[in-house]
Amino acid sequence: MKLYLSRHGQAVSRAPTDAQRPLTETGRAALLAHWQGMRDSGIAVSALIASPFVRAQQTADCIDQVYGGLPRQTCEQLVPDANPQALFDWLLANPPADNAVLVSHMPLVAQLTASWTGSVERIGFNVGTVACLDVEVAAAAGARLLWLRSPGEAVSGH
């Protein structure tokens, strides 16, 4: 199964709590352009699973604006300091659709990608970066990284 692991877009630096930080207008525009480019290149998205934090929900809104009418879930195991194993357990209990997008945060997106692919290297995720994973099983070393794309990069191959 193919899954997309996305870091949220650029958010404001201050809010009453970290969970309440919204996207900036620049962040929103960059996400819309990024996902529009991926859709135009033939990348299909079938569902959204997002952290409950405001910036992740707003990132999911942007993706849904590009693709339209996607089924959506909120997952507490996608918050920044969640444990990758907790998300793997959640995914095993709630199998996602092929081509689903998981919207999360640093450091979790880097930890998940490294754990899922069995990599010893930490993979960098700028805001809005998307990793495409070929997932065999929701477990450590259960996936292969197909590509990594950040806003502003040309999209080639998928």
Side-chain angles (χ1 to χ4, degrees), residues 31-93:
L31 283 170
L32 288 169
H34 185 45
W35 283 97
Q36 185 67 52
M38 289 196 290
R39 190 187 87 179
D40 291 350
S41 74
I43 293 169
V45 169
S46 62
L48 296 165
I49 303 169
S51 155
F53 284 25
V54 169
R55 60 193 180 276
Q57 291 290 319
Q58 290 176 331
T59 297
D61 292 343
C62 290
I63 298 166
D64 192 47
Q65 187 175 334
V66 170
Y67 285 90
L70 296 173
R72 184 166 171 172
Q73 289 178 277
T74 297
C75 176
E76 294 288 337
Q77 287 72 29
L78 286 170
V79 298
D81 295 323
N83 181 308
Q85 187 59 52
L87 178 64
F88 293 153
D89 293 345
W90 187 89
L91 290 170
L92 288 170

Side-chain angles (χ1 to χ4, degrees), residues 3-11 23 27 30-35 38 43 49 55-56 59-60 63 100-106 108-110 112-113 122-133 145-155:
L3 291 179
Y4 301 100
L5 180 58
S6 177
R7 183 177 177 198
H8 63 79
Q10 180 187 54
L23 295 178
L31 283 170
L32 288 169
H34 185 45
W35 283 97
M38 289 196 290
I43 293 169
I49 303 169
R55 60 193 180 276
T59 297
I63 298 166
V101 180
L102 307 176
V103 183
S104 188
H105 313 263
M106 283 294 283
L108 184 63
V109 288
L112 270 173
T113 304
R122 183 174 168 142
I123 296 168
F125 273 78
N126 295 322
V127 290
T129 295
V130 178
C132 179
L133 299 165
L145 178 63
L146 299 178
W147 50 257
L148 198 67
R149 302 275 187 269
S150 295
E153 291 180 355
V155 177

